[in-house]
């Protein structure tokens, strides 16, 4: 498909067919490479193709900026500690509408397009849904013309999270060397570097009628930006960018003629401390050094983003007039909340504004999305640690807290409990989620049930004070990435029967509903699924040498490992199935697929990974059950692997403890590809259920209200569940009774379930979960009924597109529509 307006390269050459592409490609190859094209390696050929695409997107970027300035439209800066953008080459070519032209043109040049795709490293800048959501939103902001101009701010982690290896069933973490050959999609912007200050002392002095604060003896760090352009789908007028900051030292040159060993050692230590800021995502924070590094990362991102934005704005407009009308900052979860006092610092200390003027600006440019109610994610920092690292920022937070307390006291005189619940600084700690709420004009949850919990429980005190701030915007995912790009077989089938408008308006998928009883179409749908299952089976065989049957049910759970996501519930179910198969029960043949990473210091989650691989070893080597059961763990799950996995799934496992998964986005990716959700009554699972109807989803277990009630009443007893259910007791005992014949001690999991009283109600939901799974297993045997449910899920998935979510943010929160 061609773009409505033909794409022009920077030299004006039209890329309108494969001949014009080949001419442009040869020209660029000669410009950027030293070898002749005929003798060049695949990396050089890949480099030239990326350069060509970047020149196209750069030309569109210039048009984007010009349009933004001329129309005086608001810019949205999206701050996130994670961005999982996936591989860029084929996705950019798809968005530009020239992928087929490029494939054919390269073939004429005797170059394999598929081989070039293999040269690309995936940027590992996240660990799950939070980072992928941020990337989906950048995608949709580039596509949706009414959504304003969206830009991402993140950190350029040198080693990403980590590369996961499975060795003897254990997760082993090794550095991800994604930058070893450079990352061709990025462009360094040394002219936009921002200094960031840590530690030191702050003194106050008067200057005329003003009180001036001077930060001295600080440790300076340079934030060096690298830009990655994000293209809109079939749009020659819109490209946005993701700006990633790298931490670099501000070192003075050492005088080697008077070499001082102490000075050299000090400089080396300083360099190492600075570079650690942008080395890895989520450093282990169980000790003081790791905790301080996390805080450094969060402030580094915040200070760089705020300083960069202010500098650019003043370059364009000369002053900060109309800043509120032209700029919006969106905080993706609590990590960047320190941006709020940082903007105040800039406005007061550098722009010489008074407090009231600075706060009027700050409180009207920030909006905050909360993504979880888990206490550790709401973030609290010890006052002493925070004050030592960020002395001026602490002073500003103290003043924000003081003034907000006065506001609450005026509105609710005498309500000491409300004051306690809304205090930013209390009990020797700084509550960052509270800071985010106080400093933002909008706060939103990411599913209906999550937003309800925020308003009634977690942030209920703030809801009393400022109810107008609170909104819900249910998460969404890029259907162009996870259906059209990941699943071309299904995408082509859909387009054949309803046209291609769904690619730009996902709700058009509803037009599939009349085909629900069309047996011919259902058979084509089954063939598309079968093809994708064969691709995943081939991948598993290539990686692990394990043969799995594509005709079996593919039951898949891929997500970050955490106790509340309850991968252990899935494993206990598999152990129970194994036990019953050994006793003569039969089931529809099923392949259970797991994937995801556990944080390096999260021993419980890593034990679950070891358990999965231990159970797989038992099941996959037992000839008595091999026709019914297979278990696979996919190593190093990422976006690219997800694009193989999501299209292949029959059952989508979304089994977090009710109330804990704010929304989930994996459930939506599977839904777009026709998987049926097996889910707890949590997050967006409930909204998926409302969309498709109970016949086309399998929900089970406790509700969020029941879970919260059990927590509040403290009346749950895991031992009662264990003792009252023989099948459950047997699989829990098998964790420690020698059933698993290896040297690893699974008492950590046994104790988690029983002695620690099963914090996430795994045992309570075990029987309802088994029953729901068995219902799906039986339903799969009714082929037509299953395919109708698969079609129903695809047709109703449109409301879970990130395009819809971005339209809601634009209209309800950012005021850009």
């Amino acid at each position: 498909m061609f773009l409505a307006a033909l794409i022009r390269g920077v030299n004006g050459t039209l890329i309108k067919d494969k001949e014009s592409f080949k001419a442009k490609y040869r020209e660029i190859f000669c410009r950027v490479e030293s070898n002749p094209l005929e003798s060049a390696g695949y990396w050089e050929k890949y480099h030239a193709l990326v350069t060509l695409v970047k020149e196209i997107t750069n030309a569109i970027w210039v048009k984007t900026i010009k349009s933004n300035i001329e129309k005086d439209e608001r810019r949205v800066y999206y701050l996130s500690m994670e961005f999982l953008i996936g591989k860029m080459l084929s996705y950019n070519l798809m968005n530009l509408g020239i992928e087929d032209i490029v494939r054919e043109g390269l073939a004429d040049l005797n170059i394999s397009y598929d081989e070039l795709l293999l040269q690309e490293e995936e940027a590992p800048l996240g660990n799950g849904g939070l980072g992928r959501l941020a990337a989906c939103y950048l995608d949709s902001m580039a596509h949706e013309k009414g959504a304003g101009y969206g830009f991402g701010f993140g950190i350029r982690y040198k080693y990403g999270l980590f590369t996961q290896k499975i060795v003897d069933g254990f997760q082993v973490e090794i550095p991800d060397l994604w930058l070893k050959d450079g990352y061709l999609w990025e462009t360094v912007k040394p002219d936009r570097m921002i200094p960031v200050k840590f530690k030191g002392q702050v003194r106050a002095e008067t200057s005329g009628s003003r009180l001036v604060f001077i930060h001295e003896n600080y440790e300076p760090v340079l934030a060096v930006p690298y830009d990655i352009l994000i293209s809109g789908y079939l749009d020659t007028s819109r490209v946005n960018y993701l700006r990633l900051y790298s931490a670099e030292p501000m070192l003075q040159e050492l005088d080697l003629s008077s070499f001082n060993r102490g000075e050299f050692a000090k400089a080396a230590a300083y360099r190492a401390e600075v570079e650690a800021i942008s080395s890895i995502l989520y450093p282990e924070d169980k000790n003081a050094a790791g905790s301080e590094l996390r805080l450094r990362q969060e402030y580094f991102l915040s200070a760089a983003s705020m300083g960069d934005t202010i500098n650019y704005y003043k370059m364009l407009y000369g002053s900060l007039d109309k800043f509120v009308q032209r700029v919006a900052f969106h905080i993706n979860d609590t990590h960047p909340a320190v941006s709020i006092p940082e903007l105040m610092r800039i406005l007061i200390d550098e722009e010489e504004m008074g407090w009231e003027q600075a706060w009027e600006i700050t409180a009207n440019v920030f909006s905050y999305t909360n993504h979880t109610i888990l206490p550790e994610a709401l973030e609290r920092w010890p006052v002493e640690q925070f004050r030592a690292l960020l002395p001026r920022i602490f002073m500003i937070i103290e003043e924000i807290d003081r003034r907000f307390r006065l506001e609450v006291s005026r509105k609710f005189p005498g309500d000491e409990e409300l004051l306690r619940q809304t205090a930013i600084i209390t009990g020797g700690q700084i509550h960052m989620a509270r800071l985010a709420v106080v400093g933002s004009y909008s706060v939103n949850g990411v599913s209906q049930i999550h937003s309800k919990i925020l308003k009634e429980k977690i942030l209920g005190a703030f809801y009393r004070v400022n109810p107008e701030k609170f909104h819900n915007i249910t998460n969404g995912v890029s259907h162009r990435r996870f259906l059209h790009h990941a699943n071309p077989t299904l995408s082509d089938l859909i387009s054949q029967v309803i046209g291609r408008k769904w690619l730009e308006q996902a709700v058009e998928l509803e037009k599939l509903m009349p085909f629900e009883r069309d047996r011919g179409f259902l058979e084509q749908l089954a063939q598309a699924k079968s093809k994708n299952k064969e691709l995943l089976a081939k991948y598993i065989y290539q990686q692990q040498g394990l043969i799995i049957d594509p005709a079996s049910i593919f039951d898949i759970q891929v997500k970050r490992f955490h106790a509340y996501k309850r991968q252990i519930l899935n494993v206990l179910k598999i152990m129970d199935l194994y036990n019953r198969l050994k006793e003569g029960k039969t089931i529809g043949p099923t392949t259970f697929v797991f994937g995801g990473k556990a944080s390096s210091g999260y021993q419980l989650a890593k034990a679950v990974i070891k358990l999965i691989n231990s159970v797989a070893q038992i099941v996959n080597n037992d000839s008595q059950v091999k026709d019914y059961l297979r278990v696979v763990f996919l190593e190093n799950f990422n976006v690219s692997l997800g694009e193989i996995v999501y299209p292949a799934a029959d059952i989508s496992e979304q089994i977090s403890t009710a109330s804990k998964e704010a929304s989930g986005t994996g459930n939506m990716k599977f839904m777009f590809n026709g998987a049926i959700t097996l889910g707890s009554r949590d997050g967006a699972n409930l909204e998926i259920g409302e969309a498709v109807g109970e016949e086309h989803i399998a929900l089970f277990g406790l509700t969020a209200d029941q879970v919260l009630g059990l927590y509040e009443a403290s009346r749950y007893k895991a031992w009662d569940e264990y003792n009252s259910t023989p099948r459950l007791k047997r699989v829990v005992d098998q964790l420690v009774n020698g059933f698993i014949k290896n040297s690893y001690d699974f008492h950590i999991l046994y104790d988690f379930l029983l002695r620690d009283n099963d914090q996430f109600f795994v045992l309570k939901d075990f029987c309802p979960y088994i029953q729901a799974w068995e219902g799906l297993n039986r339903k799969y045997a009714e082929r037509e009924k299953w395919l109708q449910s698969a079609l129903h899920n695809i047709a109703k998935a449109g409301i879970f597109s990130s395009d819809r979510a971005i339209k809601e943010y634009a209209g309800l929160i950012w005021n850009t529509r």
Side-chain angles (χ1 to χ4, degrees):
M1 176 183 289
F2 300 116
L3 297 171
L6 294 173
I7 297 170
R8 293 182 179 271
V10 289
N11 293 329
T13 303
L14 290 174
I15 297 179
K16 58 184 178 181
D17 53 33
K18 67 178 181 180
E19 297 304 321
S20 57
F21 162 72
K22 288 190 291 185
K24 185 66 177 175
Y25 181 72
R26 283 185 178 278
E27 173 205 322
I28 289 176
F29 190 93
C30 291
R31 180 163 22 106
V32 301
E33 302 296 345
S34 57
N35 291 328
L37 178 60
E38 292 71 22
S39 60
Y42 279 117
W43 173 258
E44 295 163 300
K45 295 170 184 175
Y46 166 72
H47 181 196
L49 184 55
V50 170
T51 302
L52 184 152
V53 174
K54 284 179 68 177
E55 290 191 359
I56 295 172
T57 53
N58 277 328
I60 301 173
W61 168 242
V62 172
K63 292 169 62 179
T64 301
I65 288 297
K66 182 180 179 183
S67 173
N68 174 243
I69 295 171
E70 289 174 348
K71 295 177 180 178
D72 203 17
E73 292 179 307
R74 198 177 199 191
R75 297 184 189 88
V76 178
Y77 296 97
Y78 195 89
L79 279 70
S80 179
M81 293 296 287
E82 299 185 36
F83 284 95
L84 275 174
I85 56 178
K87 291 188 175 182
M88 300 288 287
L89 179 54
S90 61
Y91 196 66
N92 272 326
L93 292 173
M94 179 199 81
N95 280 341
L96 294 170
I98 57 174
E99 187 174 22
D100 289 342
I101 290 173
V102 169
R103 185 187 294 273
E104 294 170 10
L106 290 172
D108 283 359
L109 297 172
N110 201 28
I111 300 171
S112 168
Y113 174 64
D114 292 334
E115 285 292 335
L116 298 195
L117 295 181
L118 294 176
Q119 306 308 305
E120 183 171 2
E121 291 282 350
E122 182 171 323
L125 306 177
N127 183 29
L130 185 72
R132 186 53 231 174
L133 179 80
C136 286
Y137 282 178
L138 290 185
D139 183 308
S140 289
M141 280 190 268
H143 172 69
E144 289 294 331
K145 289 185 174 63
Y149 289 79
F151 311 102
F153 281 141
I155 295 179
R156 182 180 180 263
Y157 303 103
K158 185 176 181 180
Y159 301 113
L161 181 68
F162 54 78
T163 295
Q164 180 194 57
K165 295 291 184 183
I166 301 300
V167 179
D168 192 27
F170 293 97
Q171 171 181 289
V172 176
E173 305 92 19
I174 62 174
D176 193 320
L177 303 179
W178 67 290
L179 290 172
K180 65 181 185 301
D181 298 316
Y183 186 64
L184 300 183
W185 294 104
E186 67 183 9
T187 302
V188 65
K189 299 287 184 177
D191 58 316
R192 300 289 295 274
M193 293 188 296
I194 299 294
V196 180
K197 301 174 183 178
F198 295 99
K199 298 187 175 180
Q201 299 84 39
V202 177
R203 64 179 174 86
E205 62 181 40
T206 56
S207 176
S209 60
R210 296 187 71 249
L211 185 64
V212 178
F213 296 90
I214 301 169
H215 194 174
E216 300 175 319
N217 303 317
Y218 54 80
E219 295 179 2
V221 175
L222 272 181
V224 181
Y226 291 75
D227 288 357
I228 301 169
L229 295 180
I230 308 294
S231 57
Y233 180 67
L234 300 184
D235 190 347
T236 58
S237 64
R238 181 72 76 103
V239 163
N240 293 335
Y241 70 69
L242 168 61
R243 175 161 288 175
L244 302 172
Y245 296 100
S246 177
E248 298 186 12
M250 296 178 66
L251 283 177
Q252 296 180 346
E253 291 186 16
L254 292 175
D255 183 359
L256 297 181
S257 64
S258 57
F259 177 75
N260 183 304
R261 187 180 300 275
E263 284 185 16
F264 189 85
K266 185 177 179 181
Y270 163 68
R271 175 182 288 276
E273 185 176 67
V274 168
E275 292 178 347
I277 294 172
S278 57
S279 286
I280 60 171
L281 171 65
Y282 299 143
E284 175 55 44
D285 63 351
K286 295 291 193 298
N287 55 53
S291 176
E292 180 180 303
L293 180 53
R294 283 215 187 187
L295 182 54
R296 280 178 179 267
Q297 288 182 329
E298 292 176 9
Y299 181 66
F300 172 77
L301 170 60
S302 299
S305 303
M306 296 302 102
D308 199 346
T309 303
I310 293 288
N311 288 350
Y312 183 67
Y313 190 93
K314 290 175 69 177
M315 182 186 73
L316 286 179
Y317 303 110
S319 73
L320 294 181
D321 290 348
K322 297 178 68 175
F323 189 79
V324 171
Q325 289 75 34
R326 290 171 172 152
V327 170
F329 295 110
H330 195 83
I331 300 173
N332 189 35
D333 219 359
T334 311
H335 313 109
V338 72
S339 300
I340 294 167
E342 172 61 15
L343 181 59
M344 288 291 290
R345 184 198 66 79
I346 294 172
L347 296 179
I348 294 171
D349 294 358
E350 297 180 12
E351 300 301 320
E352 299 184 352
M353 292 184 185
W355 181 277
E356 287 75 12
Q357 183 185 4
W359 185 250
E360 179 67 19
I361 291 173
T362 299
N364 285 286
V365 295
F366 280 99
S367 50
Y368 163 52
T369 294
N370 174 278
H371 280 283
T372 179
I373 68 171
L374 293 177
E376 63 265 30
L378 296 175
E379 288 201 320
R380 293 176 292 181
W381 294 106
V383 164
E384 293 308 315
Q385 180 188 40
F386 194 101
R387 179 163 43 199
L389 187 67
L390 305 171
R392 179 62 179 132
I393 299 302
F394 177 74
M395 295 169 67
I396 293 170
I397 292 175
E398 273 193 313
E399 184 63 10
I400 293 172
D401 185 39
R402 185 187 72 82
R403 290 175 180 245
F404 187 70
R405 287 173 187 255
L406 290 175
E407 179 186 336
V408 173
S409 294
R410 284 193 296 268
K411 280 188 174 182
F412 303 90
D415 195 333
E416 294 300 319
E417 181 60 19
L418 184 62
L419 274 175
R420 186 187 66 80
Q421 292 177 0
T422 56
I424 297 172
I425 303 175
T426 183
Q429 293 187 312
I430 304 172
H431 293 247
M432 301 306 287
R434 296 181 184 183
L435 174 64
V437 175
V438 171
S440 298
Y441 67 87
S442 174
V443 178
N444 73 280
V446 291
S447 71
Q448 292 170 7
I449 186 64
H450 173 234
S451 295
K452 179 174 181 286
I453 292 169
L454 289 181
K455 291 191 292 186
E456 295 180 358
K457 303 286 185 181
I458 306 303
L459 299 176
F462 290 97
Y463 183 65
R464 280 186 63 198
V465 177
N466 296 114
E468 74 283 355
K469 283 189 178 186
F470 286 77
H471 306 94
N472 174 67
I473 297 182
T474 299
N475 282 345
V477 300
S478 172
H479 65 290
R480 287 177 292 275
R481 167 70 79 167
F482 291 106
L483 173 49
H484 180 50
H485 184 260
N487 194 346
T489 305
L490 178 57
S491 176
D492 290 347
L493 175 60
I494 292 169
S495 297
Q496 287 170 20
V497 296
I498 66 169
R500 297 176 63 87
K501 191 175 178 182
W502 67 273
L503 289 165
E504 299 188 66
Q505 299 179 27
V507 291
E508 289 284 308
L509 290 169
E510 282 264 9
K511 292 181 177 178
L512 290 170
M513 288 303 297
F515 296 91
E516 193 173 20
R517 302 194 182 281
D518 184 327
R519 290 185 175 177
F521 181 80
L522 292 177
E523 183 56 36
Q524 289 178 288
L525 186 64
Q527 291 172 5
K529 179 64 72 174
S530 180
K531 180 178 179 180
N532 288 312
K533 291 169 75 172
E534 288 170 2
L535 289 174
L536 179 56
K538 179 181 178 181
Y539 175 87
I540 291 169
Y541 180 74
Q542 290 173 339
Q543 296 297 312
Q544 302 184 23
L546 179 65
I547 298 173
I548 63 173
D549 183 5
S552 65
I553 303 169
F554 279 20
D555 181 313
I556 301 182
Q557 186 179 20
V558 286
K559 53 183 70 249
R560 175 173 62 94
F561 271 73
H562 194 287
Y564 84 85
K565 293 179 182 288
R566 300 200 298 188
Q567 286 93 345
I568 192 172
L569 177 59
N570 196 348
V571 190
L572 293 177
K573 175 194 67 189
I574 295 169
M575 293 166 66
D576 177 66
L577 289 172
Y578 177 80
N579 291 334
R580 290 192 288 157
L581 285 169
K582 296 291 284 184
E583 294 168 350
K585 178 183 173 61
T586 60
I587 60 171
T590 304
T591 299
F592 291 97
V593 179
F594 294 85
K597 298 177 181 179
S599 295
S600 58
Y602 194 175
Q603 297 307 315
L604 183 76
K606 294 173 78 170
V608 175
I609 291 175
K610 173 60 175 175
L611 177 63
I612 292 168
N613 286 293
S614 298
V615 170
Q617 187 71 16
I618 294 169
V619 168
N620 297 342
N621 289 286
D622 190 326
S623 59
Q624 186 179 342
V625 304
K626 69 176 183 179
D627 293 333
Y628 298 101
L629 207 55
R630 280 283 186 270
V631 180
V632 182
F633 188 94
L634 299 174
E635 184 180 80
N636 203 44
F637 186 76
N638 56 17
V639 177
S640 300
L641 182 49
E643 291 185 51
I644 301 172
V645 169
Y646 297 123
D650 295 306
I651 295 175
S652 162
E653 295 264 3
Q654 308 296 328
I655 59 175
S656 56
T657 305
S659 79
K660 298 301 183 184
E661 186 75 88
S663 170
T665 51
N667 46 10
M668 301 169 188
K669 296 163 194 168
F670 282 115
M671 183 187 186
F672 271 112
N673 285 280
I676 297 176
T677 301
L678 171 58
S680 55
R681 302 180 193 279
D682 196 23
N685 292 349
L686 294 171
E687 291 169 57
I688 291 174
E690 291 173 6
V692 302
E694 63 181 19
E695 182 183 351
H696 306 293
I697 192 171
L699 297 178
F700 68 89
L702 296 170
T703 66
D705 285 342
Q706 288 171 331
V707 167
L708 295 172
L710 287 171
Y711 284 139
E712 290 171 3
S714 300
R715 64 175 183 266
Y716 176 62
K717 293 182 173 57
W719 285 100
D720 290 347
E721 300 295 329
Y722 167 81
N723 286 316
S724 64
T725 311
R727 283 166 53 189
L728 173 60
K729 184 177 186 300
R730 175 163 62 170
V731 293
V732 172
D733 287 347
Q734 285 175 331
L735 295 174
V736 293
N737 68 5
F739 167 77
I740 301 170
K741 295 178 172 59
N742 60 46
S743 59
Y744 187 77
D745 184 357
F746 287 105
H747 270 93
I748 185 176
L749 300 179
Y750 182 87
D751 291 344
F752 164 72
L753 293 172
L754 292 175
R755 301 188 190 283
D756 299 335
N757 204 37
D758 187 20
Q759 178 184 357
F760 296 108
F761 304 104
V762 173
L763 306 186
K764 184 73 172 176
D765 274 347
F766 178 79
C767 288
Y769 172 55
I770 294 286
Q771 291 165 7
W773 183 87
E774 288 175 337
L776 287 181
N777 193 263
R778 290 190 298 270
K779 182 175 181 175
Y780 190 80
E782 302 177 64
R783 179 181 172 84
E784 185 171 331
K785 193 174 179 181
W786 183 273
L787 291 171
Q788 288 172 344
S789 285
L791 175 60
H792 211 92
N793 272 269
I794 298 167
K796 297 293 184 178
I799 60 171
F800 299 106
S801 167
S802 50
D803 292 353
R804 182 270 312 154
I806 286 301
K807 287 178 184 176
E808 292 181 5
Y809 276 106
L812 186 63
I813 295 178
W814 300 331
N815 301 315
T816 56
R817 293 186 71 82

